Amino acid sequence: MVSMKKKIVVNSIIGLLFFGIVVWLAVGLSAGAKHNSQANQETSKTDEWRRIKQDKQITIGLDDTFVPMGFRDKDGKIIGFDVDLANAVFKTMGITVKWQPIDWSMKETELNTGNIDAIWNGYTKTAAREKQVAFSNTYHNATQVLVTLKKNNINSFSDMKGKVLGDQTASSGDESFNQHPKVLKQYVKDQKVVGYDTFDKAFNDLNAGRIDGLLIDEDYARYYVAHQANPRNYTVTVDGFSVDETAVGFRKSDNQLRQAVNQTLSQFKKDGRMKHIENKWFSN
């Protein structure tokens, strides 16, 4: 009888100890999560310009398949219009750019948690994005276009009626597609779009006939088509979407960084350096 009582007491003590450990771990994890959350919030509230100048380096996020803005050449080197422009802008400040490929659908999160210091990659100003980032002054304009295979005789947005459309997930084209349903969305099959993480994958499916059209930034479309073996195989249709303003995305707290970039972009426009870089990438 005494032995049975001892067992009960021992088991009760073990149970209480186990419960205490579980509670301790839960409190610790909660505190850690709260600390990390506070750290991320602090990152988003701190102007990082002093740190960037001291380090003489800035990390810029990009989709490294987005021709001609930022992409990899045959040797794997990151090149492009935005790459040349950003490198030149920060070179005037004695700062080196570290280019960081990112998941484009997570770009604002990467910025606001401090993994990158700017988004500079054909980044279009939109009302939704302005809630999450602070934009530089506009430095380039383009629009969204429809790319199709010429053999399919699609020459207007209405010709996409009942056909399959593709675009890049979380791109400005994807946002325009949904915000302006009467421009293109009303025509395509099921009023839905096939989303891709990169445009090169979307072009592969277009060429294979798995989609009938691709909604894409005009710069990418014209550069891609111009560099194909037979550009005449494609049709690029401009029909209904407004002109997009391209700018650099910064954390809302980084006022000094944004001002420094704005001043340099303005100077580049005045002295011809902007035009020189544009001619290199857009005069095909």
Side-chain angles (χ1 to χ4, degrees):
M1 192 71 166
V2 175
S3 177
M4 181 63 71
K5 286 182 178 180
K6 286 183 178 179
K7 286 183 179 179
I8 292 173
V9 170
V10 170
N11 288 338
S12 296
I13 292 172
I14 292 173
L16 287 170
L17 286 172
F18 179 76
F19 177 75
I21 292 171
V22 170
V23 171
W24 178 77
L25 287 172
V27 171
L29 289 172
S30 176
K34 184 176 181 181
H35 175 75
N36 289 336
S37 176
Q38 289 175 340
N40 287 340
Q41 289 176 3
E42 288 302 315
T43 298
S44 67
K45 292 179 181 178
T46 304
D47 193 320
E48 297 294 323
W49 181 228
R50 178 179 294 181
R51 185 262 302 166
I52 291 169
K53 286 196 298 182
Q54 288 178 343
D55 293 347
K56 298 185 182 301
Q57 180 175 281
I58 184 170
T59 302
I60 297 180
L62 83 162
D63 165 9
D64 62 355
T65 69
F66 191 47
V67 299
M69 312 308 276
F71 63 104
R72 294 186 185 274
D73 64 13
K74 61 182 180 179
D75 297 319
K77 181 182 178 181
I78 294 177
I79 61 172
F81 169 70
D82 277 332
V83 174
D84 282 356
L85 180 58
N87 284 341
V89 164
F90 284 108
K91 184 178 181 180
T92 67
M93 307 177 200
I95 295 171
T96 300
V97 176
K98 176 185 176 183
W99 290 97
Q100 179 63 53
I102 58 173
D103 178 343
W104 194 245
S105 67
M106 296 294 290
K107 53 193 174 295
E108 289 84 12
T109 300
E110 295 278 3
L111 177 67
N112 287 315
T113 55
N115 293 332
I116 59 175
D117 298 309
I119 304 168
W120 198 329
N121 188 213
Y123 191 41
T124 302
K125 289 184 178 181
T126 69
R129 289 172 175 174
E130 284 181 333
K131 295 178 181 179
Q132 302 180 72
V133 308
F135 281 105
S136 71
N137 295 336
T138 301
Y139 65 86
H140 183 69
N141 292 291
T143 189
Q144 298 297 316
V145 299
L146 176 68
V147 180
T148 57
L149 297 179
K150 187 174 288 291
K151 66 182 182 180
N152 293 333
N153 296 313
I154 298 173
N155 301 298
S156 68
F157 284 4
S158 59
D159 289 338
M160 282 293 294
K161 187 172 183 179
K163 298 186 182 299
V164 180
L165 178 72
D167 73 6
Q168 184 182 34
T169 302
S171 66
S172 55
D174 191 46
E175 189 172 321
S176 295
F177 174 79
N178 288 300
Q179 288 187 346
H180 306 286
K182 292 185 178 180
V183 177
L184 178 58
K185 186 175 182 178
Q186 63 175 329
Y187 300 116
V188 303
K189 184 177 180 181
D190 299 326
Q191 295 192 5
K192 294 181 180 179
V193 65
V194 178
Y196 296 86
D197 57 348
T198 61
F199 276 124
D200 57 340
K201 294 178 182 177
F203 263 110
N204 287 338
D205 274 10
L206 177 67
N207 293 329
R210 287 185 283 270
I211 59 176
D212 302 299
L214 178 58
L215 182 62
I216 188 171
D217 180 271
E218 182 178 14
D219 292 323
Y220 191 128
R222 297 196 185 284
Y223 189 92
Y224 178 92
V225 170
H227 287 79
Q228 296 306 295
N230 192 346
R232 294 182 180 181
N233 288 342
Y234 300 88
T235 299
V236 178
T237 303
V238 181
D239 185 9
F241 287 113
S242 59
V243 173
D244 294 331
E245 297 182 30
T246 305
V248 188
F250 301 103
R251 286 179 288 269
K252 290 182 179 291
S253 58
D254 284 337
N255 293 319
Q256 290 179 294
L257 171 59
R258 182 163 54 90
Q259 289 172 8
V261 169
N262 279 338
Q263 290 172 2
T264 308
L265 288 174
S266 178
Q267 185 59 43
F268 275 29
K269 288 182 179 180
K270 291 178 181 178
D271 64 24
R273 278 179 284 183
M274 179 74 77
K275 190 65 177 177
H276 176 75
I277 298 173
E278 287 177 338
N279 288 341
K280 174 182 176 180
W281 292 101
F282 301 130
S283 298
N284 293 317

